[in-house]
Amino acid sequence: MATFGTLSDRLTETFKNLRTKGKLSASDVDGTVREIRRALLDADVSLDVVKQFTATVRERALSDEVNQALNPAQQVVQIVNEELIGILGGQQRRLEFAKNPPTVIMLAGLQGAGKTTLAGKLAKWLKKDGHTPMLVAADLQRPNAVTQLQVVGEQAGVPVFAPEPGNGVGDPVRVAKDAVKQAERQQYDIVVIDTAGRLGIDAELMKQASDIRKATNPDEVLFVIDAMIGQDAVNTAKAFQEGVDFTGVVLTKLDGDARGGAALSIASVTGRPIIFASTGETLDDFEPFHPDRMASRILDLGDVLTLIEQAQQAFDEEEARKVAEKFATDSFTLDDFLKQMQQLRNMGSIKKMIGMLPGAGAMRQQLDQFDEKEVVRTEAIIQSMTPAERHNPKLLNGSRRLRIARGSGMTVTDVNQLVQRFEQASKMMKTVAKGGVPNVPGMGPIPGAGYGGRKQQQKKGKSSRSGNPAKRAAENAALAAGVKPGGGSSAGGSGFGLGSSAADAQKGGQKPPKGEELAAVQRLFGRG
């Protein structure tokens, strides 16, 4: 997440120095806490929050739980992670819905925080969850605010209640009251009220927001704040808490390049939880806020759970099962590859997805240089192929590749690279589908994977060591035939009751497997 990039880099570098130490002294802990304090202050975290945070971390880092740990450095990282979760609000808090619909959600905040766009994002998210939301244009001061909400509502596929034209005309309190009545009549179960903001805190803004709250009695009042606002975030939050009082916080512009200290200050200072986070410009760049996952992202520990949830929403489970079967049977085609890429695009930004993986901070420079349009170019190349070429890439001779390059606006080199990457990916996924570990291009087999080289070593270890060449050749031939040089058979597979000879059975051993028994074992391991 770009907003916490600098903070994440600083903290990761601090913990990297700790991992070289087998035991932590008081000076090591003090040095680490000092670096954490500097990193948090540089990220515009409130001074009071920083003092409390670092004092708690230092106290816990010098306690017995770290001194007696097998890996003190990892224990300190765990402590920092737990304390970060604490100042981010602890546990996730969900929206609370009214027992008798409609649920009224009021948005409040300064002008420019992104309330109007957020109203559309929230409405679309609620609609996906099976609700029937309605947006209310109660921001009648800002020029074209009503028109903007109508456009956003149309994009989200949600109706907008806008009886007044805005631009300084109309009574926002009356509009909000009428909207709730309209929702009751037309059976909308959620009403999202977009209120006016100001460039700064003033009495008129607070009075209008307070009047709307009294008139509609909302179930949730969400304070929308720009994560890039810096140190002033705490003062703004306190002013809204005193003037309007809110039940939760929504952070916007978390995809920006600011330092993001607001997120680490507001929940701790106001005592109100962060419920949602806006992570981009499109209406789909919106997600519930999980303090534990955000702390993991900041410490570069990844956010795999959010990545899985996004994948479950974008990918069709039945389609994924069919693709897995195609991998296993070596029938995966470029058409299937195209469908997978299109589903991947539905998940959103590839940069953000890779950024959720553990250790992604080390690849930040490469991620910044990654061109999202590369996926579009790849789609153009595949779509320029005929159905037969997509099904069988071996048909792609020189003239066909030239035609595809011209049709997609790319070069023959680009087409060649795509085909090569597709073939490598197919081989790797086929190996994975069959339970093996693939050879990663340029890396070779993964050490300790339990295949390939290990089997060769075992076979080499079982060869005869006799100094007599004739005897050595005879013993090696016996081993290759599965018979021990001294008589009897090898016990290959006997751990599953297979591979014993009839002679072993007469001595009280297990009987040779019957055809149906062998078939049953093969089915058990997915080979029947």
Side-chain angles (χ1 to χ4, degrees):
M1 193 164 284
T3 307
F4 298 108
T6 305
L7 175 60
S8 179
D9 289 342
R10 291 282 297 272
L11 293 178
T12 304
E13 189 64 31
T14 299
F15 296 135
K16 190 185 296 182
N17 297 330
L18 278 184
R19 293 189 178 99
T20 61
K21 302 179 183 294
K23 188 176 182 181
L24 300 183
S25 64
S27 61
D28 292 330
V29 173
D30 287 340
T32 301
V33 171
R34 192 182 310 115
E35 288 301 319
I36 293 173
R37 184 186 298 114
R38 288 173 179 169
L40 293 174
L41 289 174
D42 284 347
D44 280 336
V45 181
S46 170
L47 179 60
D48 293 336
V49 175
V50 173
K51 285 181 178 179
Q52 182 181 354
F53 179 82
T54 52
T56 307
V57 170
R58 184 181 187 281
E59 182 181 352
R60 291 186 60 186
L62 291 173
S63 66
D64 290 339
E65 65 176 314
V66 173
N67 293 332
Q68 296 176 3
L70 293 175
N71 193 323
Q74 289 183 359
Q75 197 71 21
V76 171
V77 174
Q78 179 66 20
I79 289 171
V80 173
N81 184 48
E82 291 172 0
E83 294 302 320
L84 269 179
I85 293 172
I87 65 172
L88 285 169
Q91 294 183 343
Q92 182 202 13
R93 214 272 262 165
R94 299 175 180 272
L95 282 177
E96 293 183 359
F97 298 102
K99 293 181 180 179
N100 299 316
T103 298
V104 180
I105 301 174
M106 173 182 166
L107 304 181
L110 292 180
Q111 186 172 316
K115 291 191 302 299
T116 303
T117 305
L118 184 94
K121 292 182 176 184
L122 177 59
K124 187 172 183 179
W125 183 81
L126 290 167
K127 186 179 179 182
K128 284 183 181 177
D129 207 29
H131 296 282
T132 54
M134 180 179 76
L135 298 177
V136 181
D139 181 359
L140 305 179
Q141 269 75 34
R142 183 167 62 88
N144 293 321
V146 174
T147 305
Q148 182 190 354
L149 187 66
Q150 288 172 331
V151 172
V152 169
E154 185 179 354
Q155 292 174 345
V158 174
V160 178
F161 182 77
E164 299 290 350
N167 297 326
V169 177
D171 180 5
V173 178
R174 184 169 56 81
V175 168
K177 286 176 67 176
D178 292 345
V180 176
K181 294 177 182 177
Q182 178 82 350
E184 290 175 352
R185 286 193 300 268
Q186 298 188 353
Q187 296 185 339
Y188 292 107
D189 69 342
I190 295 179
V191 176
V192 180
I193 304 175
D194 178 30
T195 63
R198 293 291 188 279
L199 294 176
I201 302 297
D202 62 17
E204 184 181 355
L205 165 67
M206 289 304 172
K207 184 178 184 308
Q208 185 183 107
S210 180
D211 289 344
I212 292 176
R213 173 161 193 167
K214 291 175 183 176
T216 59
N217 191 24
D219 301 279
E220 293 277 12
V221 179
L222 300 182
F223 173 53
V224 183
I225 188 163
D226 184 347
M228 301 167 67
I229 198 171
Q231 286 281 358
D232 198 42
V234 174
N235 297 330
T236 305
K238 284 182 177 178
F240 269 91
Q241 190 173 22
E242 293 170 2
V244 184
D245 194 17
F246 49 86
T247 58
V249 179
V250 180
L251 290 173
T252 62
K253 305 179 186 178
L254 276 178
D255 58 323
D257 55 0
R259 290 171 284 190
L264 299 177
S265 306
I266 290 177
S268 180
V269 171
T270 64
R272 298 291 187 268
I274 302 172
I275 301 180
F276 293 107
S278 175
T279 57
E281 296 181 0
T282 69
L283 295 185
D284 291 317
D285 294 328
F286 179 77
E287 60 188 46
F289 186 86
H290 299 266
D292 53 341
R293 301 182 190 182
M294 183 60 68
S296 293
R297 292 192 205 183
I298 293 172
L299 295 178
D300 198 25
L301 301 177
D303 184 5
V304 178
L305 286 176
T306 299
L307 186 60
I308 291 172
E309 288 173 1
Q310 291 182 0
Q312 287 175 337
Q313 292 175 3
F315 281 81
D316 182 2
E317 188 174 345
E318 180 64 22
E319 185 68 26
R321 186 185 62 79
K322 290 179 181 177
V323 169
E325 290 176 357
K326 288 185 176 183
F327 275 130
T329 57
D330 202 16
S331 58
F332 187 72
T333 67
L334 279 164
D335 254 333
D336 301 315
F337 185 56
L338 178 62
K339 290 178 184 176
Q340 292 294 299
M341 290 190 64
Q342 288 170 340
Q343 287 187 328
L344 187 65
R345 282 181 60 195
N346 291 338
M347 287 179 63
S349 170
I350 295 177
K351 286 184 183 180
K352 289 180 184 176
M353 287 188 287
I354 298 176
M356 293 180 190
L357 296 174
M363 303 184 294
R364 186 165 290 119
Q365 185 175 357
Q366 293 93 319
L367 285 176
D368 290 340
Q369 295 173 352
F370 176 75
D371 186 2
E372 296 274 358
K373 293 182 180 179
E374 188 67 33
V375 179
V376 180
R377 298 187 190 106
T378 302
E379 287 183 10
I381 293 174
I382 297 175
Q383 288 169 341
S384 296
M385 298 178 184
T386 65
E389 290 168 345
R390 295 184 202 177
H391 185 73
N392 184 12
K394 293 180 180 178
L395 295 175
L396 296 174
N397 55 24
S399 61
R400 288 174 182 260
R401 296 186 187 215
L402 180 60
R403 188 204 77 238
I404 293 167
R406 288 174 176 171
S408 59
M410 307 298 289
T411 65
V412 175
T413 303
D414 295 325
V415 177
N416 293 339
Q417 288 176 348
L418 169 62
V419 174
Q420 186 178 7
R421 288 198 302 268
F422 170 74
E423 290 173 350
Q424 289 176 346
S426 297
K427 289 178 183 177
M428 289 175 61
M429 295 310 298
K430 182 182 176 183
T431 306
V432 172
K434 291 186 175 181
V437 180
N439 282 319
V440 180
M443 293 177 61
I446 296 176
Y451 74 102
R454 183 179 293 179
K455 288 182 180 178
Q456 292 174 357
Q457 290 175 359
Q458 288 176 349
K459 288 180 181 178
K460 187 177 179 180
K462 287 184 179 180
S463 62
S464 172
R465 297 182 180 180
S466 174
N468 186 324
K471 184 179 179 182
R472 184 168 66 245
E475 288 179 351
N476 285 338
L479 285 170
V483 181
K484 293 182 180 179
S489 66
S490 67
S494 60
F496 296 101
L498 303 177
S500 306
S501 67
D504 292 333
Q506 292 175 356
K507 295 176 184 178
Q510 295 173 331
K511 297 180 181 179
K514 298 178 182 178
E516 60 266 26
E517 293 174 341
L518 184 59
V521 173
Q522 288 176 333
R523 284 197 299 272
L524 178 65
F525 290 97
R527 297 175 185 173

